[in-house]
C-alpha cells in the first residue's frame, strides 16, 4: 500500500503471514502501532500458540510506517524473543521516519536481538521522540541507527565507543544531545 491516499486508523486485530508490513507514504494513516505486529514479533504475546511467521536463515523482516501519522510510544517488547539461535542471518528493518511517535526509546528495546545479521532502526524526524539514547550494543551483526531531528537529550552512550557493530549513527538536529562520536565510526 505504498504512496496511496488512505485514511483512518490501522486495523488493531488482524492476522498477517508475511515478512514485510508497510504503510509507508500514506499520510492519512494514523493511530498506535498495531497490536497484531507484537503478536508476530514477540512470543509472550502468542500465549504458546504456533508461530506462523518462520524466520528462516537469511530472511528479511521489515516494518515501515515512514511518512504516516502513526503515533504513540515504541512498544518495548516489539522484537523480544522473536529470534532464536537458528534465526541466523536475519535482517530487520524498523522504519518510523517522519511519523508521530512520542516518548522515549525503551531502554530494553533491542535487548534480545542477538542473532540478526543486520538491524536498521530509523526513527528520525519525530519531534516528540525524547529522552536519552539507550546504551545497547549488539554482540553480533551490523546496527544502523537514525534519530536525526528528534529531541534526544543527554550524552551519547559510552558503551558505543567499544561497539564495533554500530555502522551508522545519524544524530544531527538533536540540539541537547552531547558526547563524543564513537571512535569505531570515525575510523571507518
Amino acid at each position: 500500500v505504498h504512496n496511496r491516499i488512505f485514511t483512518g486508523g490501522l486495523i488493531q486485530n488482524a492476522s498477517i503471514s508475511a515478512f514485510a508490513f508497510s504503510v509507508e507514504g500514506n499520510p492519512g494513516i494514523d493511530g498506535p502501532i498495531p497490536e497484531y505486529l507484537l503478536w508476530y514479533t514477540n512470543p509472550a504475546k502468542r500465549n504458546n500458540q504456533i508461530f506462523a511467521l518462520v524466520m528462516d536463515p537469511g530472511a528479511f523482516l521489515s516494518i515501515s510506517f515512514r511518512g504516516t501519522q502513526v503515533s504513540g510510544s515504541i512498544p518495548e517488547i516489539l522484537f523480544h524473543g522473536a529470534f532464536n539461535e537458528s534465526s541466523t542471518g536475519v535482517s530487520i528493518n524498523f522504519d518510523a521516519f517522519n511519523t508521530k511517535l512520542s516518548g522515549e526509546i525503551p531502554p530494553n528495546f533491542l535487548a534480545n536481538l542477538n542473532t540478526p545479521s543486520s538491524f536498521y532502526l530509523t526513527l528520525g524526524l519525530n519531534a516528540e521522540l525524547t529522552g536519552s539514547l539507550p546504551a545497547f550494543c549488539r554482540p553480533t551483526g551490523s546496527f544502523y541507527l537514525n534519530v536525526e531531528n528528534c529531541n534526544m537529550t543527554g550524552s551519547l552512550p559510552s558503551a558505543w565507543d567499544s561497539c564495533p557493530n554500530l555502522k551508522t549513527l545519524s544524530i544531527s538536529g538533536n540540539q541537547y544531545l552531547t558526547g563524543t562520536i564513537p571512535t569505531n565510526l570515525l575510523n571507518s
Side-chain angles (χ1 to χ4, degrees):
V1 292
H2 290 285
N3 296 316
R4 303 288 184 241
I5 307 300
F6 293 101
T7 61
L10 294 169
I11 298 169
Q12 292 297 310
N13 297 306
S15 176
I16 58 173
S17 60
F19 291 106
F21 177 87
S22 176
V23 290
E24 181 176 310
N26 288 287
I29 298 285
D30 59 12
I33 292 176
E35 182 74 17
Y36 59 80
L37 289 179
L38 299 180
W39 193 89
Y40 276 96
T41 60
N42 186 309
K45 289 286 190 179
R46 289 185 230 128
N47 298 323
N48 297 319
Q49 297 177 30
I50 296 173
F51 186 35
L53 184 60
V54 177
M55 299 305 292
D56 293 328
F60 181 75
L61 172 64
S62 178
I63 298 174
S64 179
F65 299 107
R66 178 182 283 257
T68 67
Q69 301 295 309
V70 167
S71 60
S73 60
I74 299 170
E76 185 167 351
I77 59 171
L78 186 59
F79 294 109
H80 279 209
F83 308 98
N84 56 34
E85 291 76 30
S86 65
S87 298
T88 58
V90 173
S91 294
I92 301 170
N93 174 47
F94 183 77
D95 187 346
F97 187 85
N98 192 21
T99 61
K100 300 291 182 190
L101 289 180
S102 60
E104 297 185 8
I105 299 173
N108 296 318
F109 181 59
L110 301 176
N112 293 342
L113 284 177
N114 295 330
T115 58
S117 63
S118 61
F119 189 88
Y120 297 84
L121 181 58
T122 307
L123 301 170
L125 211 56
N126 281 291
E128 299 300 317
L129 202 57
T130 61
S132 58
L133 294 168
F136 46 75
C137 178
R138 296 192 51 251
T140 62
S142 301
F143 180 55
Y144 305 84
L145 177 63
N146 177 334
V147 290
E148 65 188 39
N149 296 306
C150 295
N151 277 309
M152 308 310 296
T153 59
S155 295
L156 294 178
S158 59
W160 289 359
D161 203 36
S162 59
C163 188
N165 296 328
L166 180 61
K167 303 298 183 189
T168 302
L169 178 61
S170 183
I171 56 173
S172 65
N174 288 283
Q175 63 181 343
Y176 301 109
L177 197 57
T178 61
T180 305
I181 301 295
T183 55
N184 60 303
L185 291 175
L186 297 174
N187 297 328
S188 54

